Amino acid sequence: MALHPAPHSWKPRKQYQSLQIGELTPGPQFITVTGRVVNLYDPQKPSQMPYGCSRALVRDDTGVLLVRLWYAKIDYQLCLGQLVKIWTTSISHVEPTCGGGTSSIQSATHFTTLHPERDANCHFEVDKNSENTTLFRKPLGYDEGEQLTGLMTLKSYFDGGHEVIGNKVLMCVKSIGSRKQGTRLDLIILRALR
């Protein structure tokens, strides 16, 4: 796995246990997980503050982890779909109000807080070849050759499917960022609902 180089060479000083996100348990422990960024929450950094915190949902094939990444000098330039590797010293349960209490954050059962510039035992790396691998690119709960239960169209979701327990809407992100031409997403959704 080729990872973005850190501003300084980082080598783990402790023995880290490699786990899948679904295997995480709360408490202090030296663990490493690998997953894909599926959502970002980057609050505006006040201009007088020399630091900030990015929040990202990272998932693998077993679950979702909320990562709070504090930074001062390093610009991690997180993007949706990036494959990341995390070394952490503690895992906690997500509380209902953790991270604003939005439903997408509530899909995470655990979270970790990283201060890589301050804590030598924490580290965060982005795989520069994220696009060249199919690792963690299938929907949660999907088994090869089996039908994914609860899958519906966006129109079905808005027409009452949001009340169905275990509902799923498969979203394909074609691009991220501003578009130079084309139709706005909200107009596309409105047309689909008509």
Side-chain angles (χ1 to χ4, degrees):
M1 183 183 308
L3 300 170
H4 283 302
H8 62 298
S9 180
W10 187 83
K11 298 249 188 248
R13 296 178 181 172
K14 306 275 186 183
Q15 183 71 25
Y16 287 76
Q17 183 180 7
S18 182
L19 295 175
Q20 293 183 316
I21 293 172
E23 299 172 321
L24 298 177
T25 57
Q29 53 197 311
F30 289 90
I31 61 158
T32 181
V33 296
T34 302
R36 211 167 271 286
V37 176
V38 294
N39 211 341
L40 294 169
Y41 310 89
D42 197 8
Q44 292 294 327
K45 180 170 75 168
S47 59
Q48 69 271 19
M49 296 178 74
Y51 58 87
C53 177
S54 290
R55 293 178 298 160
L57 284 180
V58 175
R59 72 163 286 264
D60 64 10
D61 291 333
T62 64
V64 181
L65 175 69
L66 173 61
V67 178
R68 293 181 187 149
L69 178 62
W70 287 90
Y71 59 88
K73 298 174 187 167
I74 299 174
D75 182 8
Y76 290 96
Q77 298 180 1
L78 295 178
C79 295
L80 289 176
Q82 286 177 321
L83 194 62
V84 297
K85 188 160 187 176
I86 300 159
W87 288 263
T88 186
T89 59
S90 181
I91 298 293
S92 301
H93 277 296
V94 171
E95 299 297 326
T97 58
C98 176
T102 63
S103 61
S104 58
I105 290 178
Q106 288 174 352
S107 66
T109 55
H110 295 90
F111 77 90
T112 188
T113 301
L114 303 175
H115 299 268
E117 297 172 57
R118 189 179 78 191
D119 183 353
N121 292 316
C122 293
H123 193 67
F124 185 90
E125 289 183 351
V126 177
D127 184 339
K128 68 180 181 180
N129 293 319
S130 292
E131 296 302 315
N132 298 334
T133 178
T134 59
L135 195 61
F136 311 130
R137 290 210 181 259
K138 63 181 182 179
L140 280 177
Y142 175 73
D143 291 324
E144 193 71 35
E146 299 291 321
Q147 184 175 0
L148 188 61
T149 60
L151 191 60
M152 62 182 68
T153 65
L154 190 59
K155 183 175 183 335
S156 297
Y157 177 82
F158 285 118
D159 287 344
H162 61 277
E163 297 174 358
V164 174
I165 295 173
N167 58 17
K168 295 174 183 73
V169 177
L170 183 62
M171 302 291 288
C172 297
V173 178
K174 184 175 180 180
S175 67
I176 300 169
S178 60
R179 295 177 69 181
K180 301 203 185 304
Q181 58 183 326
T183 311
R184 290 183 28 207
L185 180 59
D186 55 344
L187 292 177
I188 294 171
I189 291 172
L190 286 175
R191 288 184 188 143
L193 293 175
R194 291 184 187 156

